[in-house]
Amino acid sequence: CSVVYLVVFHLSFVMFVWSYWKTIFTYPASPSNEFCLSKADKEQYEKEERPESQQEILRRAAKDLPIYTTTASGAIRYCDRCQLIKPDRCHHCSACDICVLKMDHHCPWVNNCVGFSNYKFFLLFLMYSLLYCLFVAATVLQYFIKFWTLCHRKAAENCPKNELQNTHAKFHVLFLFFVAAMFFISILSLFSYHCWLVGKNRSTIETFRAPTFRNGPDKNGFSLGCSKNLREVFGDEKKYWLLPIFTSLGDGCNFPTRLVIVDPEQLTVSSQNEPAKSSGANQSFPTRPLSESQNRLLASDSQWVESGPEEENVKSGAKKHIIVSLES
């Protein structure tokens, strides 16, 4: 029994320290250079004083970028501090002074931003710290009970089974149990909350401020169903899920959405027959095909052609929009 206790204790402790180390020392991922304005666009952007002209420059630069979200007013999300166009789910951290991909929050307990590059490590850190506190509290519980039993029954009877050898050890046991139990309760609430976020494919920021798509704000815009949401964070290989090794899908700059995606093969035909779609105050929004990471997540989903009054045109060869059917 003692050997089992030692193995479980050291295993949980090693995994806890490993996950904690990876969470702290994994540098937050930042947008790639393709999201930075060119030198000419940057100079022109700084010279312009009207917001409308600045947005026109940003829309032209974002035309070929894989972005689907805008500000609440429908404008292109641009970081004046980092001087780059923000990818979807990217936010600027004032503490780290950088734009962080899929930023969840800045955690003072790890002195680091929790985002795309270390979110899996953060979840494992919470899980292993939870198991570690549970193991400590469970193994100390019997001595904690003996402590109170001895306190209340010492005058009535002197039972050797209820006595602790060292008087000072009683207070150590009492302190250890309360600390482990309190940390367990607090971490349990935080871990449960982040498990709920993973199931919904949301970040802490998106919970309080829903991302704005071309069709308006949608708090479930990135949700692909619980199973695929889980795979997006932990990866396809289940044997690596419990190890603090980076296995998250994608590049952090492009995420599959539940929105209508235009067929890239018919994008030219559609743009000739229909006016450019706009978001907000007549602001066109760039449309991009699904990336490789998106196709991996959506590979098992079937596709269907939208039917309606234009069905005759569809049959005659002018194929319309393709809608990706996602799990709700």
Side-chain angles (χ1 to χ4, degrees), residues 148-163:
W148 288 106
T149 304
L150 180 62
C151 289
H152 291 288
R153 300 177 59 186
K154 186 174 181 180
E157 61 178 301
N158 187 15
C159 180
K161 295 181 180 180
N162 291 335
E163 292 183 2

Side-chain angles (χ1 to χ4, degrees), residues 270-285:
S270 299
S271 61
Q272 294 177 355
N273 297 334
E274 299 179 4
K277 291 189 176 182
S278 61
S279 176
N282 297 326
Q283 297 187 9
S284 60
F285 193 73

Side-chain angles (χ1 to χ4, degrees), residues 18-318:
W18 187 9
S19 303
Y20 188 50
W21 179 275
K22 294 285 288 186
T23 306
I24 294 176
F25 293 101
T26 300
Y27 193 77
S30 300
S32 57
N33 293 332
E34 64 176 330
F35 291 91
C36 298
L37 294 179
S38 63
K39 185 177 180 180
D41 288 338
K42 188 181 300 183
E43 292 178 353
Q44 186 178 2
Y45 179 85
E46 294 174 351
K47 291 180 181 179
E48 291 291 346
E49 297 182 356
R50 296 187 306 160
E52 295 81 6
S53 300
Q54 291 179 336
Q55 277 298 306
E56 184 62 31
I57 297 173
L58 295 179
R59 286 196 299 272
R60 185 172 63 250
K63 180 178 60 175
D64 296 325
L65 294 178
I67 57 175
Y68 295 96
T69 59
T70 64
T71 63
S73 60
I76 299 296
R77 300 170 64 243
Y78 181 75
C79 179
D80 293 309
R81 184 76 176 179
C82 299
Q83 295 184 334
L84 54 81
I85 298 174
K86 296 180 182 178
D88 295 339
R89 318 184 80 174
C90 176
H91 300 276
H92 185 86
C93 176
S94 58
C96 298
D97 197 26
I98 58 173
C99 283
V100 180
L101 295 179
K102 195 186 176 183
M103 179 178 176
D104 188 87
H105 68 286
H106 183 88
C107 182
W109 301 108
V110 299
N111 193 29
N112 196 7
C113 263
V114 177
F116 174 76
S117 60
N118 62 349
Y119 189 60
K120 176 189 175 183
F121 307 148
F122 178 74
L123 290 174
L124 293 179
F125 158 65
L126 292 179
M127 185 185 72
Y128 287 121
S129 59
L130 188 70
L131 295 177
Y132 183 69
C133 291
L134 177 62
F135 177 80
V136 172
T139 52
V140 175
L141 180 60
Q142 56 176 327
Y143 302 102
F144 179 76
I145 296 176
K146 289 182 179 181
F147 173 83
W148 288 106
T149 304
L150 180 62
C151 289
H152 291 288
R153 300 177 59 186
K154 186 174 181 180
E157 61 178 301
N158 187 15
C159 180
K161 295 181 180 180
N162 291 335
E163 292 183 2
L164 296 179
Q165 297 294 330
N166 192 346
T167 306
H168 298 288
K170 303 174 186 178
F171 299 99
H172 296 166
V173 168
L174 181 64
F175 176 78
L176 182 60
F177 177 81
F178 271 113
V179 170
M182 287 187 295
F183 269 99
F184 172 80
I185 295 174
S186 60
I187 295 175
L188 177 61
S189 59
L190 183 61
F191 180 67
S192 301
Y193 173 69
H194 279 279
C195 287
W196 178 79
L197 290 179
V198 172
K200 296 293 184 179
N201 203 341
R202 300 179 199 169
S203 64
T204 302
I205 296 177
E206 293 167 351
T207 302
F208 295 96
R209 185 175 61 215
T212 303
F213 296 88
R214 70 186 70 175
N215 298 326
D218 186 2
K219 61 183 179 180
N220 295 319
F222 294 106
S223 180
L224 307 175
C226 186
S227 176
K228 292 182 179 180
N229 294 341
L230 192 66
R231 288 166 51 198
E232 187 172 311
V233 175
F234 290 93
D236 292 325
E237 298 290 337
K238 293 184 179 180
K239 60 183 178 181
Y240 297 122
W241 280 13
L242 299 181
L243 296 177
I245 301 173
F246 183 81
T247 55
S248 300
L249 300 182
D251 56 4
C253 296
N254 194 8
F255 298 91
T257 68
R258 302 177 61 188
L259 301 181
V260 175
I261 305 299
V262 179
D263 183 6
E265 297 179 357
Q266 299 297 328
L267 182 60
T268 306
V269 177
S270 299
S271 61
Q272 294 177 355
N273 297 334
E274 299 179 4
K277 291 189 176 182
S278 61
S279 176
N282 297 326
Q283 297 187 9
S284 60
F285 193 73
T287 304
R288 294 279 291 170
L290 292 175
S291 65
E292 181 182 355
S293 62
Q294 290 176 318
N295 290 330
R296 291 177 62 190
L297 283 173
L298 305 176
S300 60
D301 290 326
S302 59
Q303 295 182 340
W304 53 279
V305 180
E306 183 180 12
S307 61
E310 302 169 331
E311 186 175 358
E312 296 298 329
N313 293 332
V314 175
K315 293 180 179 180
S316 63

